């Protein structure tokens, strides 16, 4: 009967070890996916800033154009 306890402990360690290896691999993949997504979000943020700047320039030009018409 004492061998059953040893076999049970070894089986438990084997199952836990396999689970830990799989969890560690998934965690690394998840970290790399987060890094990729963060880079994409930062690029989108930069693009939004550029568009915001362009829209402000167009607005200012439009206002200047309307003032030009009002003067005539």
């Amino acid at each position: 009967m004492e061998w059953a306890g040893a076999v049970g402990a070894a089986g438990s360690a084997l199952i836990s070890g396999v689970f830990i290896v799989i969890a560690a691999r998934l965690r690394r993949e998840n970290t790399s996916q987060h890094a990729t997504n963060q880079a994409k979000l930062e690029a989108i943020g930069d693009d939004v800033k550029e568009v915001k700047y362009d829209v402000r320039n167009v607005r200012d030009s439009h206002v200047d154009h309307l003032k030009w018409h009002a003067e005539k």
Side-chain angles (χ1 to χ4, degrees):
M1 277 301 207
E2 291 186 23
W3 60 270
V7 170
S12 174
L14 177 67
I15 292 170
S16 297
V18 170
F19 176 75
I20 289 170
V21 168
I22 291 171
R25 185 168 293 176
L26 290 174
R27 187 176 193 182
R28 270 186 268 129
E29 290 174 359
N30 196 19
T31 300
S32 66
Q33 289 171 349
H34 279 110
T36 301
N37 288 339
Q38 184 65 32
K40 288 179 182 177
L41 288 172
E42 287 172 358
I44 290 170
D46 291 341
D47 291 343
V48 167
K49 287 178 187 175
E50 289 177 24
V51 169
K52 185 178 179 180
Y53 177 76
D54 290 344
V55 167
R56 285 184 177 164
N57 283 338
V58 169
R59 183 194 62 204
D60 292 343
S61 296
H62 185 244
V63 168
D64 291 343
H65 182 74
L66 291 175
K67 286 179 184 177
W68 180 78
H69 277 287
E71 291 173 359
K72 295 213 170 215

